Structures are given as C-alpha cells and as structure tokens.
C-alpha cells in the first residue's frame, strides 16, 4: 500500500517509500542536511522519504550502492565534495561519478571549522600549526574516512602546515565530534552543520572557519585568512543523485521537489542557524550540478595528486 501524503503529482511516481541514502553515520552533517530537506520534498512529491545511513570508506560504500540500485527513483543519494575527491583517492573505485549517476541538483555549500578538544593547548590557528609541527607524531586528527570532506580539509591543513599527523577515521563526523568533546582525539576539520552547537556551547575549541568571509552564526570565529592560513579554504557542496538510467520525468519531479524544499522558510532558517544556506534556485538543477561535479573532479584531482595521497 502507498503511504502517499501531501499533494498529488502527475504519473504514478511515487507510489511507495523513497530511500535517501546518506553515506555517513546518522547525526553527522550530511545526515543533518538530508533530514532538513527530506520533509518538504516528501510533501511536494506526495510520498514518504526514509533516510538510510550506509557508512564506510569515506562515503564510497554508500555511493557505490546507489550507483547499482534500481534506476526507478526510489533510491536517491545525498553526497558532497567527496564525490569529486574519491576518483583521485581510490584506484579501484567501483563507480564512475559522471557516468554512473544522474544528477538531480545542488543543495547547499557548507563552511568548515577547525576545531579541537576544549583543553587542547593551542589557543589560535597559528599556535595549532606550531604545536602540530612540534608534536606531529603525537597529535591525532579525526575524520570520516579517506574521501570525506573532513579528510580533504585535514589534508589541506597538513599540506599548508607542512606536516603529517596521525589520522583517526570514523564512519562519520557525528561520532568523531562525540570523541572530540570527550577529549579522545585532538582536532578535526568539520562542517558548521555539525560543529556549530558544540562551538556555541563551548564544548570544543574553535580556531577558524574555512571560507573567505566569516559565518554570520559564528561571528567571533575568524576566517583562516584572518588567522594566517589563507591556503586552508574549502566549503562542502552537496548534491542529490540517482542511478544513471532513472527516467527523466522522475528526475524532474525530484528536482522540482528539491527546489521547493530549498525555498521552504523552515529549511532556510535551520540552515542559517547552522552556518549555511540553500544554493540559489538556478543551481538546484541537473545541469548546474553536473558542471560543478565535473569542475571539482579536476580541481581536487590536482590537489590530491600534488599532495601524493592515495587510499589503500
Ligand atoms: C565528511 O566529513 O565528509 C562528512 O561530513 C561526514 C559526515 O557527514 O558524517
């Protein structure tokens, strides 16, 4: 039986639950953004959306599963910048981003924050760089696995600082942040959609935000440029994907529902509170999404090759 709710749409789709796959743990930034838009998208589609976390290998396990799912519109992937770094990091990646997926549209571009456990000695980004240089073999850096946004930001930090530290991979930065608050790991680079609450609560130390401008919801946090590390600039763009052969009219319904969700005042307010915003309507299209992914694969391919980093 169907669990359709909300307004009817043309054609039969959807006539059963739609699964949104999040390739990282529940409670992390990717999961948070997905759950924000799932509700208004379900209302517009007139169906139910179920979020499923499929963790592992920096998001590549979940992405691979969606690449091979039935192309019927009932399996959708939420993924981010990691879609553009994986090809350079994994020799035998079991999917080709530009060939195995149909893009639905971009969602949001999220700033990252450099944060540490609250009793970590360095007080500023410059002191953090100095501390890491002097104690490289003892400092631990959390991330969500090779290919995660937190991994890429950590890579950029280590390249800028000219040092290699011990990386501690998690299935998502939700659990990583829990360990950071608990003092089990030293520092991390993670999205404002995950760290804002703990920064405001003083549960972690925050050094900088990785965007050219400060984040309105974290007004006291300097940018990496202000803090003397201008090379550390990255923001985490997110998009929705379906398997390549998904029928165009189904893709169109998903894109329309995405646009409605990104114009939803509740979504706009939730994103603003967490340091981000929906992309403009013209970016919530398959064409804009494909162009972004194509450009980002080139950009990060070079950075990763220069840094000489490869996954197992
Ligand atoms: C990442 O670091 O790539 C993700 O933001 C991790 C997550 O969403 O849990």
């Amino acid at each position: 039986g169907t669990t359709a709710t909300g307004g009817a749409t043309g054609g039969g789709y959807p006539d059963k639950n739609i699964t949104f796959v999040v390739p990282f743990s529940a409670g992390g930034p990717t999961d948070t953004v997905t759950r924000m838009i799932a509700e208004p998208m379900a209302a517009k589609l007139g169906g139910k959306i179920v979020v499923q976390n499929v963790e592992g290998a920096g998001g590549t396990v979940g992405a691979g599963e969606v690449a091979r799912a039935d192309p019927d519109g009932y399996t959708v992937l939420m993924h981010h910048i990691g879609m553009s770094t994986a090809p350079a990091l994994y020799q035998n990646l079991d999917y080709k981003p530009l060939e195995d997926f149909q893009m639905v549209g971009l969602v949001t571009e999220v700033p990252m924050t450099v944060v540490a456990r609250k009793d970590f000695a360095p007080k500023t980004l410059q002191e953090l760089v100095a501390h890491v240089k002097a104690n490289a073999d003892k400092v631990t850096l959390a991330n969500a696995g090779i290919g995660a946004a937190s991994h890429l930001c950590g890579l950029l930090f280590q390249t800028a600082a000219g040092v290699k530290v011990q990386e501690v991979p998690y299935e998502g930065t939700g659990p990583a942040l829990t360990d950071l608050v608990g003092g089990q790991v030293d520092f991390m680079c993670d999205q404002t959609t995950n760290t804002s609450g703990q920064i405001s609560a003083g549960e972690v130390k925050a050094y900088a935000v990785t965007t050219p401008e400060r984040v309105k919801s974290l007004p006291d946090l300097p940018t990496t440029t202000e803090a003397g590390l201008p090379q550390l600039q990255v923001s985490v763009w997110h998009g929705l994907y379906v398997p390549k052969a998904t029928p165009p009219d189904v893709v169109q319904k998903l894109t329309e529902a995405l646009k409605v969700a990104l114009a939803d005042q509740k979504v706009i307010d939730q994103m603003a509170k967490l340091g981000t915003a929906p992309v403009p309507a013209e970016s919530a299209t398959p064409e804009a999404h494909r162009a972004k992914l194509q450009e980002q694969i080139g950009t990060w391919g070079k950075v990763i090759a220069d840094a000489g980093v490869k996954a197992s």
Side-chain angles (χ1 to χ4, degrees):
T2 69
T3 54
T5 52
T9 51
Y13 176 82
D15 63 9
K16 63 179 181 178
N17 287 358
I18 300 166
T19 298
F20 273 32
V21 171
V22 169
F24 296 100
S25 312
T30 313
D31 189 63
T32 297
V33 165
T34 306
R35 291 174 195 276
M36 271 186 211
I37 65 170
E39 199 184 310
M41 283 189 73
K44 170 67 180 165
L45 287 162
K48 194 164 180 299
I49 290 175
V50 177
V51 175
Q52 185 187 11
N53 302 87
V54 180
E55 298 100 338
T60 58
V61 171
E65 283 198 9
V66 175
R68 292 183 293 278
D70 290 344
D72 56 10
Y74 292 104
T75 306
V76 181
L77 171 70
M78 166 69 86
H79 205 350
H80 56 37
I81 197 166
M83 202 62 153
S84 62
T85 57
L89 290 166
Y90 289 88
Q91 275 97 333
N92 42 16
L93 193 62
D94 62 357
Y95 59 86
K96 290 185 174 45
L98 289 166
E99 290 158 41
D100 297 337
F101 293 93
Q102 163 64 46
M103 284 89 221
V104 172
L106 293 170
V107 178
T108 182
E109 189 140 354
V110 185
M112 299 194 90
T113 51
V114 184
V115 292
R117 59 186 168 81
K118 62 174 181 275
D119 51 5
F120 201 43
K123 290 188 203 55
T124 66
L125 192 59
Q126 285 303 334
E127 283 183 21
L128 175 66
V129 171
H131 180 88
V132 166
K133 279 182 183 267
N135 304 280
D137 52 346
K138 288 194 286 296
V139 173
T140 51
L141 167 67
N143 63 38
I146 294 179
S150 43
H151 166 260
L152 175 64
C153 189
L155 172 64
L156 294 174
F157 174 87
Q158 293 174 85
T159 305
V163 72
K164 267 285 313 123
V165 295
Q166 191 190 332
E167 295 181 12
V168 182
Y170 291 78
E171 303 265 274
T173 50
L177 186 60
T178 302
D179 269 10
L180 197 69
V181 169
Q184 320 301 326
V185 66
D186 290 329
F187 76 114
M188 172 165 77
C189 190
D190 189 21
Q191 299 174 67
T192 55
T193 36
N194 195 33
T195 58
S196 293
Q198 298 293 11
I199 292 173
S200 307
E203 286 301 322
V204 294
K205 191 172 280 185
Y207 296 108
V209 63
T210 63
T211 38
E213 304 299 324
R214 289 196 179 200
V215 170
K216 283 194 198 60
S217 54
L218 295 166
D220 306 334
L221 198 50
T223 65
T224 45
T225 302
E226 289 174 277
L229 205 65
Q231 318 92 305
L232 182 50
Q233 301 240 6
V234 59
S235 54
V236 185
W237 60 276
H238 292 65
L240 288 180
Y241 302 81
V242 288
K244 183 72 186 167
T246 304
D249 65 318
V250 169
V251 176
Q252 199 185 346
K253 281 185 187 147
L254 285 165
T255 301
E256 274 161 27
L258 171 61
K259 283 180 189 273
V260 166
L262 296 181
D264 182 291
Q265 195 54 49
K266 200 172 147 220
V267 169
I268 294 167
D269 295 348
Q270 283 176 322
M271 285 193 174
K273 244 202 297 296
L274 294 176
T276 192
V279 298
E282 60 274 11
S283 299
T285 63
E287 299 72 28
H289 185 176
R290 184 174 187 81
K292 179 77 174 179
L293 177 58
Q294 206 137 23
E295 174 271 316
Q296 288 278 290
I297 288 174
T299 299
W300 297 114
K302 271 198 287 295
V303 169
I304 289 163
D306 291 352
V309 173
K310 272 278 175 223
S312 47

